[in-house]
Each structure stands twice: as C-alpha cells, then as structure tokens.
Amino acid sequence: MEILTNMTWEERWHPLREEWVVVAAHRQDRPWSGERITANEIVLPDHVADCYLCPGNQRVSGKVNPNYDQIFVFDNDHPSVSFDAPNVDQPSSSVYQSRPAHGVSRVVCYSPRHNLTLAELPTNEITELLRTWQEQYLDLGDRPEIEHVLIFENKGEAVGVSNPHPHCQIYANNFVFKTIANEVAAGRQYFSDNQRVLFQDIIRAEKEDGRRIIAENDSAIAFIPYFARYAYEVFVAPKATHPHIAALSDDERRDLAEVLRSVLIKFDNLWKMPFPYVMPLHQAPTDGGDHSTFHFHIEFHPPLRKPNLLKYLAGPEIGGGNFLSDTSAEDKAAELRSMSDVHYKSEAKT
Ligand SMILES: [Zn+2]
Ligand SMILES: [Zn+2]
C-alpha cells in the first residue's frame, strides 16, 4: 500500500455522544462518480406573494401574517407535536407503546426580507434573534408538560428546505431528544468522575491545540471539534457554562452573536454560495432536573463535503450507527478559518 503523508487515519472518541468516529482522511480524494446537487444562485426578491412566511401573506391555515418588520414567531400550521394531537389507542402487544404527540411547534422568521439568510443579518439583528430564542426557551420550558425545547434551523435544499425565507423551528416536547439525553448523561458521568464540566474541558483542549478554532472573542468561541463527524461541523458556544441560552448576560449574547455571524459568513464564503446546514441549539432539558453542569452550545451539521457533494449517510452511519469521516478536522478548520469575515455578497456590492 502506498505510504501517505499528512493524512489522518484513526478513531477519535466523541465524548458527548460516547461513541467512536472513524476518521479516514486519506480517502477524500478517491474518485467520485455519485450524484451531485446543483447550487444555482437565483436572485430572489425581497417579498414573494406565495411565500407563507413573508409579511402580510395568508398561510395555509387561513391566518394572515402581520406586517412584521423584525422577528415574527407563530405556532406552526402543520405541527409535528401539539396539545391538540389526538388521543391514541394502546397497541395490543405489551412490547409496544403509544401516546399522544403532545407539545408545541413554532416557527421563527428572522427577518421580513425573503431573500436574506442568517449569514447576511447584521450583528444587532442576530443579537435580537438570540433574545427571541431566550424568551422562547423560558416561555415553553416553563410549561410543566414540556421536558425539552429544541430550537433548530434547517437551511438549504440539501437538507430538504425549499423555502429560502430565513427561519427556524422550535419543537417543545413531552420528552428529551436522544442526543440531548446522551449529552446530559455523558456530562453527569464526567462531572462525577472528574469534578469538571465536560464541555469546559473540550473548550480547554481546543484552545490548547488551537488548530481547530474558527472564531473567538471575549466570551464566545467557535471550533470544529476534534471528534467532528461532518467535514465542516462547527460548535459555537459561550465560554462560561450556562445550561441554556436564557442564562446568557447581555454581553455574552452580543459576543455569541458576533462569533455566530463570523462562522456563518465563512461558511457562505467557502464556495460563494448559501451554505446548507442543520443547526440545533443544544440546551438543558426543562424536566425539572439539576442541569447546572450542562453547557449550552450551538452545533452546525453541514451535509456537504465539497461544493455539490453530499456526505451520504450509509453503511457505517445508518447501518451501524457510528460515523465515518473522510476529512481531517484540522484541515477543514484551517480552510474555514482562512475565509474572509466579509460576506461575498456584500463584497460584490461595494
Ligand atoms: Zn418569504
Ligand atoms: Zn451538543
């Protein structure tokens, strides 16, 4: 076998998921003959008459959006979880169980402008969005039936989103999502073993190494974690441990908005296209438990490895449940970090 230099070929432990990630970064230049998605950049108008998120438009429910001029939150017309969900019959076998899909599903429009993305919003508008997420977490998490509030944005057709209007969703559920439950358990175990917060040790390790840091200021940091599963997976977090976004101070919120914006702009600048991703906020459950050692963070899971080249989840991921990464976190972080902090679209205008 050919001896390859400058490659990463090893297994890395993912301490938050408590599983191995196989990194085989010598495979990334293997010939590719698979499907490609196309990113045709179409110039979009500010307002689209049949967009159900644009101000003043009627939604499928018949409700009409107000003429909002900043951020607009509403209950999803096609909720996945709702307190109006029907009662269900128990299955005949005791090995199976069912229950009503109770919860709250909401949509948050970031801006009245149809043709903007989160990456193109100024820092003060991203700061306002963080404030809205704080309010939503507290409002929904306070309800006794709600055990967890999942705030997430799916962006781009590569992750199945056909409407480009900038928005995210909120699922407030009667259960704690599996990934969060796992992070809670891993963090508790780590704290009881080491008397230190797991995520603090991750931040410390990333700062000591330095090669995977993407952006940083006084109180916030962004990095591709050592154990990344996706090529451009980025974590954005306050440096201090807060179980949820609502615990951030005004200064921390502003710092987080700045670092978040920097990451988003670098993403778009990578291939001069709106960069698709799934972006969940990982916050402590609202189940009444002690989550003082849970460290709130935002994760980006971008599906693309190269422009128009999807990371397919296949045998190892779907079949086995562990990820195989074709890229080195260090290389990808260097690539991302080298991108400009000025969005390519605004550069073109000046
Ligand atoms: Zn719209
Ligand atoms: Zn997480």
Side-chain angles (χ1 to χ4, degrees), residues 14 16-17 179-180 183 199 227 233 235 280-283 294-299 301:
H14 193 314
L16 293 164
R17 298 180 61 86
T179 301
I180 304 300
E183 288 190 2
F199 207 93
F227 46 79
E233 179 172 333
F235 283 19
L281 273 64
H282 281 182
Q283 308 195 73
F294 191 94
H295 191 118
F296 153 66
H297 56 282
I298 299 171
E299 296 190 4
H301 299 273

Side-chain angles (χ1 to χ4, degrees), residues 71-302:
I71 291 168
F72 171 48
V73 184
F74 65 94
D75 284 344
N76 199 321
D77 298 318
H78 293 294
S80 300
V81 289
S82 167
F83 286 110
D84 295 329
N87 281 320
V88 293
D89 295 328
Q90 282 308 315
S92 52
S93 169
S94 64
V95 75
Y96 299 138
Q97 38 176 320
S98 300
R99 62 179 190 181
H102 279 168
V104 179
S105 309
R106 284 183 178 162
V107 177
V108 180
C109 296
Y110 299 162
S111 163
R113 283 192 49 192
H114 184 82
N115 54 1
L116 286 183
T117 64
L118 187 53
E120 295 165 84
L121 295 185
T123 307
N124 66 321
E125 288 186 31
I126 297 178
T127 306
E128 278 311 303
L129 177 63
L130 299 188
R131 191 197 300 273
T132 301
W133 289 345
Q134 291 178 312
E135 291 164 1
Q136 291 295 320
Y137 178 86
L138 290 178
D139 171 35
L140 294 165
D142 267 353
R143 303 190 189 186
E145 316 89 334
I146 299 296
E147 303 233 311
H148 182 252
V149 179
L150 185 72
I151 299 174
F152 64 95
E153 179 185 351
N154 299 330
K155 182 184 164 211
E157 289 183 16
V159 296
V161 181
S162 51
N163 188 343
H165 196 115
H167 70 286
C168 71
Q169 298 186 61
I170 303 175
Y171 285 8
N173 289 64
N174 59 353
F175 66 91
V176 181
F177 274 95
K178 185 79 180 172
T179 301
I180 304 300
N182 210 82
E183 288 190 2
V184 167
R188 279 213 181 116
Q189 186 61 47
Y190 192 89
F191 194 81
S192 107
D193 291 347
N194 303 285
Q195 289 75 55
R196 292 192 309 275
V197 172
L198 171 56
F199 207 93
Q200 283 293 347
D201 279 7
I202 291 173
I203 291 176
R204 188 176 303 116
E206 292 301 338
K207 281 180 71 84
E208 277 168 12
D209 185 301
R211 287 177 298 164
R212 293 174 299 271
I213 294 177
I214 307 298
E216 184 179 2
N217 58 22
D218 280 352
S219 75
I221 189 165
F223 55 89
I224 295 186
Y226 168 79
F227 46 79
R229 298 184 302 161
Y230 291 88
Y232 296 97
E233 179 172 333
V234 172
F235 283 19
V236 180
K239 290 180 186 171
T241 296
H242 297 296
H244 50 75
I245 192 170
L248 263 60
S249 71
D250 289 0
D251 285 347
E252 286 176 311
R253 186 174 54 210
R254 174 87 191 182
D255 279 357
L256 190 72
E258 272 179 10
V259 168
L260 184 60
R261 181 166 183 267
S262 172
V263 169
L264 290 159
I265 289 172
K266 286 171 185 291
F267 274 155
D268 278 13
N269 285 344
L270 255 185
W271 303 318
K272 302 274 191 286
M273 60 177 263
F275 191 76
Y277 54 71
V278 174
M279 177 192 73
L281 273 64
H282 281 182
Q283 308 195 73
T286 56
D287 56 0
D290 174 13
H291 298 296
S292 52
T293 61
F294 191 94
H295 191 118
F296 153 66
H297 56 282
I298 299 171
E299 296 190 4
F300 283 94
H301 299 273

